[in-house]
Amino acid sequence: MPLRSDIKKVMVIGSGPIVIGQAAEFDYAGTQACRALKEEGLEVVLVNSNPATIMTDSAMADKIYIEPLTIDVLKKIIIKEKPDSVLSTLGGQTGLTLSMQLYKDGFLDEQNVNLLGANCETIDKAEDRQMFKDTMEKIGEPVIPSKVVTDLQSALDFAEIIGYPVIVRPAFTLGGSGGGIAYDVEQLKVICEGGLRLSPITQVLIEKCISGWKEIEFEVMRDKKGNVITVCSMENFDPVGVHTGDSIVIAPCVTLSDKEYQMLRTAALNIISELKVEGGCNCQFALHPTSFEYAVIEVNPRVSRSSALASKATGYPIAKVASKIAIGYTLDEIKNAVTGNTYACFEPALDYVVVKFPKWPFDKFVYAKKTLGTQMKATGEVMAIGVNFESAMMKAVRGIELGFDTLNMEKLKSKSAQEIEELLYNCDNERSFVVFEAIKRGISYDKIYEITKIDKWFLAKLKNLADMEEKLKMSELGDTVYLEAKKLGFMDKTIEEISGQKIKNKRYASFKMVDTCAAEFPASTPYFYSTFDEDNEALPFIKEDKKRVLVFGSGPIRIGQGIEFDYSAVHCVWALKNAGYEAVIINNNPETVSTDFDTGDRLYFDPLTKEDVMSVIQTEKPYGVVVAFGGQTAIKLTEFLDKNGVKILGTSAKSIDEAEDREKFDELLEKCQIKRPVGSTVFTTDEALLVAHRIEYPVLLRPSYVLGGHNMIIAHSDEDIMQYMEIILQTKNDNPILIDKYLMGMEVEVDAICDGEDILIPGIMEHIERAGVHSGDSISVYPPQHIKQEIIDKITDYTYRLSKELKVCGLVNIQYVIYQNEVYVIEVNPRSSRTVPYISKVTGIPIVDLALRCSIGEKLKDMGYGAGLYKKSDYIAVKVPVFSFEKLHDADIHLGPEMKSTGEVLGIAKTFDEAILKGLIAAGYTMKKQGGVFISVRDSDKAECLEIARKFDKLGFEIYATIKTAMYLSKTIKNIKTIPKISEAKYNPITLIESGKVDYVISTSKKGRLPARDSVKIRRKAVEHGIPCLTSIDTANALADCLGKTTEIKNVYDINEIF
Amino acid sequence: MAIYLTLENGMVFEGKSFGAAHDTMGEIVFTTGMTGYLETLTDPSYFGQIVLQTFPLIGNYGVIPSDFESSKSHIKAYIVKEWCQYPSNFRSEGDIDTFLKNQGIVGIYDIDTRLITKIIRENGVMNGIISTKKPDEDIINSLKEYTIKDAVKNVTLNKTEDYGDGKYNVVLMDFGYKKNILRELVKYGCTVHVVPAFTSAEEIMAMKPDGIMLSNGPGDPAENTLIVEQLKKLIGYNIPTFGICLGHQLLALANGAVTKKLKYGHRGGNQPVKDILKDRVYITSQNHGYAVVGDSLPGDVGIVSHINVNDNTCEGIKYKNIPAFSVQFHPEASAGPLDTEYLFEEFINLIEGGAHKCH
C-alpha cells in the first residue's frame, strides 16, 4: 500500500543537544526523515532545540521550531501548527520519550494527531524492563536473569539470589546513564542509588553479569505487512561489559558460523515481529563463546547510533526507509536508492569489513575515570572500511586523531611484559593498544583471551600487523613487501619509519565501491573506500564536464569540534553544487549527514590524513579543495596540500598560517593597529615565569595550534605555571606555548564573510560569561544587549581591517574582549566556526553559501546581502551550552578556558528574557521559584556573589553556604545557613545536596580538577543528582535574573518567519 | 605461490595458491553469502563449478564437519580474497586450507574478487581455468568448450538410504540433496527414504510414500530427460510433492514448462522472494543458475506463487492438477536465513490433507 491518505502534515521531533549517548547520528536520521517526507509531498514541521543541526535548516522542513523540547512547548506547537501526525522514532530517546508522553497524556488523540513510527505498546514492551522480559519469555527468547526494582533493598536482596557481579541498568536514561557493574554490596549501594535517581521513573534493572560473552548486534526492519529484514550484523571487539558505544565494533560478524549467525538473526526477527515495530530496530545479544547459549540484552525500537553505523556500513539508508514505512509504504514498495533498480526489501551483502572506533573525551578530562563499562563515555566515533580487518583497523586508528599511525602506543614500550600483562586487566580506552603490545611481547593468545575475553580471531589479526612490522624491519623494502604492507593498511610514512628504508615505487590507493550488494547489481551511487587492488572503481564516475572540488569533513565528533562543522561542510557541498561544481566529500564519521550517500556527488569514506587525502586527490584530480569547513582536522591539511600544488579555494594557506603563527599574527595586528592582550611565546618554564612576571598575573597559557581550548589554563601564580609547564612539556611538542595577559572583560564573537574587498558581518554575539570561560562553554547572545554603539562600530571596523589585511576569502571568526572600554583581539580563525549554523539560522543569511561563493571568486556586492554589519534581527537568540558531565565520573565541571560542553541549544524570542529562559530550559535547567541554593565560592567571587545571593534571597530561596562564603554573605543577608566542610561534620555539603533541599549550586574555586578536592566533590555530587551547578558567577547571575521574571514560555516561533 | 585464474574471455588474474595445487577448469559463479562457506563448499549443487566468495574474509570460524551439507565438496575450485589462517570458533576442527587439500580442491586467494564478480555480472557466467602457469591460447579456446555434464549422475546416491522414524513416509529423490533437507524432514516427523535420482516411478510408489520431496541439485535441468519422464509418471499418482531448486525445475519441466539459463544466477543468502498469495516478502537462501520460465507453465497446471523481487523471475509454483508445490530457493537454509522454514510445515499439512483423502 502506498502513502496513507490521512497524512498530509507531519511533525518530526529531533533529539535536542549533542550529549554523550545521543549525538550527530540523530541529525543524520532526522535529516533523512525530513527529506523522505518532503519527497512524498508532505508538509514537515520540525522541532529541535539544537541549532547546530542540518535538520533545522530552512531547506529541510516547511516549519522549523528551534524551541526547548518540553511537553508544554510541543503542545503549543501542535496547537499552532495542527499537524495530523507525529513521527516519533527518528529523534533518539528524547524524541521517543516525548512522543510517548504526548500520547499517554491523551493530547495527541485530543488534537486528532496520529502517532507514526511506533505505537505505545511496542515502546513499552521494549523499554519497560518487566514488560520486555515478559515479552521475551512469551516468544521463547532467553533473557539474562534480572529483576526490576524501585528501591535499594530489593536490589540488594535480588543480588544475593543471583550472585555478584551484577549490572545495574536504569530505565529510560540515555546511553545507559547511571548504570554500572557492581562486584559487591558496597558498590551496588552506590550504583543503584545513582541509577534510581537518574531514572525518570525511579526504576532500575538488576541483572546477572555476563561480561565476557560475545556482544552481537542486529539492525532489523519491519513493515506493517510483517515483512522483516536484517540490514546488518555487528560484532563487538570488546565483549559484553563494555557499552557498545564504547566498543570497537566490526561489521558484519566475523567469528560466528552460519548456524550461530542464523540463530541470532532469527531471534532478532522474532523479536521485531512480536513487538510489531514498523520501521527500524536494534537488537543486542550476548552469545556464549563456547556454546549456542545466548541472551537478548536490549532492544531499541527506533533509529539509533547503531543504525547510523549500519547504514553507513552497508549503504542501506535505514532512517529513510523507516520514514517511508511510517507513512504507509512497505519494504517491497521502496526502491533501493543505492542501486536504483532493486528494492529496500532485501539484505545488504558486504564485500568488505567495517571497523568502528570510539572517540573519547579523556584528553579534555584528564582526571576523569577512563574505565569502560555499561556507561557510555565516547563523544563520537570513526568508521573505516577495508577489504580486510587489519586495514580497516589501521584506518580507524589513524582516523581517530590521537596522533597514532599504528596501534603502537609509545608509553607502553618502556613497560615490562609483566606490567603489560597487568595492564590487560584494565578495561579502559587504551586496552586495544595494550592488547597489541601484549601480542608483540609474545604473551599468549590464551592468556590475553583469559584476561580480556577478546576473541582470538581479533588477536590473530592484530598479530598479522605485528608480524608485518617485523617483516618491514627485517627485509629489503621491495615492491612485494611494500604492497603487502599497504594491503594491511600501513601508511608510506610508517613503512619508511619502521623499515628505515625509502620506498622505491610509491603507490596511491585505488577505490572500491559500497553498493549494498557485493557487486551483484550495478550501483549508481558513488560511495567509495580505499584499497590496494588494481581496479579503481571511482574512475568511471569522474567526468570532465564539471569542475570538481574536494570538501573535507571534520572527522569524529569531539568536544570543541562537533556537529557544527558537519553543518558547514554539508552546506559547502550544496553551495558548490549550486555553483555548478561537482562536490566530492572525504570524511570518516558515520554519524553525520556529510557521509550520507547522496550528500556529495561522490563520497570517499576514508581517514583525513595527508596520505589518505592525497590518494583521493590522485584519483579525483580536483580543480581545488575546500579546507575552511572541516574544523581543525581540515585546516591541519592546508600547508601540506598547498606545498603539494593542490589549489586551496578561499583564504590562502599563507593567510591561515599568519593567523595561527604568533609572531606573524602580532605583525598583522601592528599593521592594523589593533591591540591584543600583551603576551609572548615561550618554550621553557623559566621563559614562562619571566613573561608572567613582566605582564603580571593572571595570565593565560596554551599551546599554539589548538581548537576548543585544549590544554588551556589561567595561571594566577608561579606555582600554576610550573605545574602546567611540567605537564605540557612531557608531551612531545614542537610548537611553542603562548602566554598572554588575561583580561577579565566581556567576550564578543564575530563571524564574517569576506571577498577580499568587502566584508559582511551577519551578526555580533556577546557572551554572558566573561573572558576566561571558553567561548564554546559560554552563553552567547545575539544581537548584543550590553554593548555601546561606539564599541560595536569599533568591532565592525576591526573585523574589516583584520579580514582585509589577512586577505580572507570566505569565512573568518574573530573573538574580542572588551576590557575597560577598549577592544582587544583574542583570536582570529580564518575558517568556519561553531557559531556559523546558529547565526545563519537567526539572521537568515546563508553564511556558508556566501562564503563559499566568495572563495570561488564571486563578490559580496552581487549577492544581495550588502556589506558591513547586517541589520539586527527583531529577535533575540541565546545559545546555551550543554554538558555531559553525568557520564564522566570524576571529571571536574568547573568552566574555564578549556572547552567542556558537548552540545548547545538555542532560545529564540522577541525579548531577551524569554530567549534566555528558553535557552536555559532547553539546556535542561529546571526553573524554580523557590527552594534552596547552595553557595560556595572563591574569595575573588565573593563580592559579586553577594548580589546574586540577594536575588535568590528576594525570591524567597533558602540560602546555604560554606563557612567563609556564609560569613561574607551574612554581612548583608540574614538567615544564611552555614554548612561545615565535608570532613568536619556529618551534615555537610554532600549530605545537604543528597537531602534534596537544594535546587541550585553555585560553586567556584581557584583550583579544581583533582577529584579529591572538596569543591570538585560538591560539584560532582550536584551533577549526579541532576542539580544545576553554576561555576561561573555570570551564569549564576543570569539564572537568578531569569528566575526573578516569568518562568513560563509563552511564544513559539517558526524560524522561517522571523526574518 | 603465484597461480593464475584465466577467464573464458582471455582475462588473466594472478593470485596465490591454497588448498590443493593442480590445474582445473570449471564454470565460475559467485555467491554473496557472508557466512556459510562450509555449507557452500559441501553443497552438491555446485558440482562442476568454480565458486567465488564475494565476502573477502573466508574461513573465519574454521571447519565444522557437523555443518557440512554432504559428505564431500563437489566444487572444482575456490576463489577467495583472503582465507583465515587462525580460525576461531568453539566447534572448529581445522582451517579451510587443510580441508581443501584433503578434498583435493584447488584454491586461489589474494585476487580482486570484486572485479571478477563485476565481470561475471556484466558478461554472464563464464568458464575459467586455474593453473600454475599462464595458459596458452589452446587452453583458453578449450575453455569455451567446457560444460558441466551428467551433473546429477555424479552427485546422486548409488542406493537408497533410510532415515528417521516418523509418522509420515517420505521419499526424498536425491538429485544432489543437501543434508539439511533431510534433517528438516526428520524434524517434522518423517521417515525418509533417500533414493537415487534415477529411481523409477514404480519403485518409488512401491515404497508407499505419503509424500515425495524433490531435492536440489546441480547442472542444467533440461539435461535430465530420464528423470523428467519418471516425474511425469509420478504426477499421475497424486502424491503430495514438494520440490526445491533443481527439484522445482524438474517438476515444472514434467508439467510442460521450460527452463532458461540466467545471466549469472542467484547465489547467496539475501535474495528477496515475494509470496504472491500471502503478499509477503521473505529473505531466502539461493543457489541456482537456471530458472523456470514462469509464462511457460500451462495455466491449467499451476500458477507462479513466488517471484524474485529483484528480477521478477519465477521462484515458486503452486500446482492445480496435483497436490504439489515447489520453490526455487532453499527453505532448508544452511547456509542462509531460516525465514521460509515454514514451507516444510506446509508440506506436512499437504501430506496430512492427502492422507485424509486416502482414508
Side-chain angles (χ1 to χ4, degrees), chain A residues 37 114 223 273 326 354 358 393 431 445 473 515 536 539 546 559 606 633 663 743 780 860 864 905 924 934 1051 1058:
Chain A
L37 299 176
N114 297 306
D223 65 21
S273 300
V354 160
M393 189 72 180
R431 186 159 76 167
Y445 291 172
K473 277 182 206 157
D515 62 4
N536 191 341
L539 291 175
K546 278 186 184 175
I559 290 174
D606 268 311
T633 303
E663 272 173 42
L743 302 176
S780 160
L860 275 169
V905 291
F934 172 65
N1051 308 294
I1058 66 173

Side-chain angles (χ1 to χ4, degrees), chain B residues 35-297:
Chain B
T35 53
Y37 58 86
L38 291 173
E39 289 86 342
T40 296
L41 283 168
T42 54
D43 179 348
S45 295
Y46 283 110
F47 173 83
Q49 293 174 326
I50 296 175
V51 178
L52 177 148
Q53 294 275 1
T54 61
F55 187 64
L57 305 181
I58 295 299
N60 294 331
Y61 48 87
V63 175
I64 304 171
S66 57
D67 290 353
F68 290 176
E69 283 300 306
S70 70
S71 53
K72 59 173 277 221
S73 180
H74 297 272
I75 68 170
K76 291 294 282 283
Y78 203 36
I79 307 175
V80 301
K81 180 79 190 162
E82 180 180 319
W83 66 274
C84 185
Q85 311 204 10
Y86 192 98
S88 172
N89 189 281
F90 69 103
R91 296 189 298 146
S92 171
E93 294 179 13
D95 63 56
I96 57 159
D97 176 47
T98 314
F99 172 79
L100 292 177
K101 283 196 168 84
N102 290 341
Q103 295 276 325
I105 289 166
V106 172
I108 180 168
Y109 76 101
D110 197 10
I111 189 165
D112 194 342
T113 44
R114 182 172 165 90
L115 177 58
I116 301 166
T117 304
K118 285 198 302 177
I119 292 166
I120 293 171
R121 175 187 85 200
E122 296 305 321
N123 301 293
V125 270
M126 261 189 247
N127 295 328
I129 182 167
I130 294 176
S131 54
T132 47
K133 291 195 189 92
K134 284 187 187 175
D136 57 28
E137 202 143 311
D138 287 349
I139 293 177
I140 292 171
N141 285 333
S142 72
L143 253 181
K144 297 195 174 94
E145 310 296 309
Y146 176 86
T147 51
I148 300 170
K149 284 229 171 64
D150 296 331
V152 172
K153 203 170 161 183
N154 272 288
V155 296
T156 190
L157 291 171
N158 297 323
K159 59 177 178 38
T160 302
E161 291 176 2
D162 300 327
Y163 296 90
D165 182 20
K167 193 171 159 192
Y168 313 105
N169 196 31
V170 170
V171 170
L172 167 58
M173 289 191 76
D174 171 28
F175 307 132
Y177 83 102
K178 283 170 64 198
K179 275 188 186 165
N180 216 46
I181 294 178
L182 173 63
R183 292 185 201 114
E184 286 287 337
L185 290 172
V186 171
K187 185 171 121 188
Y188 278 94
C190 302
T191 300
V192 185
H193 311 286
V194 190
V195 303
F198 299 98
T199 309
S200 72
E202 291 75 17
E203 284 169 292
I204 289 171
M205 286 315 295
M207 294 176 177
K208 298 194 170 27
D210 297 323
I212 298 171
M213 172 63 112
L214 307 175
S215 86
N216 63 298
D220 181 352
E223 194 191 23
N224 300 291
T225 48
L226 291 175
I227 299 170
V228 170
E229 281 313 308
Q230 297 305 311
L231 290 181
K232 279 181 181 166
K233 282 195 231 166
L234 275 177
I235 290 167
Y237 293 104
N238 228 28
I239 305 291
T241 303
F242 180 13
I244 291 176
C245 198
L246 181 64
H248 151 83
Q249 295 164 353
L250 296 179
L251 188 61
L253 289 171
N255 277 291
V258 297
T259 54
K260 63 171 179 188
K261 186 161 188 168
L262 299 171
K263 192 173 178 190
Y264 53 93
H266 301 150
R267 291 175 188 86
N270 67 342
Q271 295 280 338
V273 167
K274 185 170 217 159
D275 182 329
I276 296 166
L277 306 172
K278 285 202 174 82
D279 192 24
R280 276 282 306 273
V281 179
Y282 297 95
I283 304 300
T284 66
S285 171
Q286 300 205 5
N287 171 20
H288 63 109
Y290 293 84
V292 173
V293 178
D295 294 341
S296 69
L297 186 73

Side-chain angles (χ1 to χ4, degrees), chain A residues 225-227 254 257-260 262 265 332 345 347 351 455 457 461 487 512 515 519-520 533 537, chain B residues 35 39 54 60 81-82 88-89 91 110 112 114 121 264 270-272 274 280-281 335-336 339:
Chain A
K225 278 187 195 167
N227 294 322
V254 281
S257 72
D258 188 61
K259 296 284 179 280
E260 293 158 296
Q262 299 303 340
R265 178 186 171 279
D332 52 333
C345 197
E347 302 198 344
D351 55 4
D455 198 283
W457 188 91
K461 294 292 178 191
K487 284 185 174 179
K512 282 198 187 308
D515 62 4
E520 186 177 1
D533 281 320
E537 292 185 64
Chain B
T35 53
E39 289 86 342
T54 61
N60 294 331
K81 180 79 190 162
E82 180 180 319
S88 172
N89 189 281
R91 296 189 298 146
D110 197 10
D112 194 342
R114 182 172 165 90
R121 175 187 85 200
Y264 53 93
N270 67 342
Q271 295 280 338
K274 185 170 217 159
R280 276 282 306 273
V281 179
D339 305 11

Side-chain angles (χ1 to χ4, degrees), chain A residues 688-700:
Chain A
L689 288 170
L690 217 64
V691 174
H693 289 180
R694 178 161 55 81
I695 62 177
E696 292 176 0
Y697 289 107
V699 297
L700 193 71

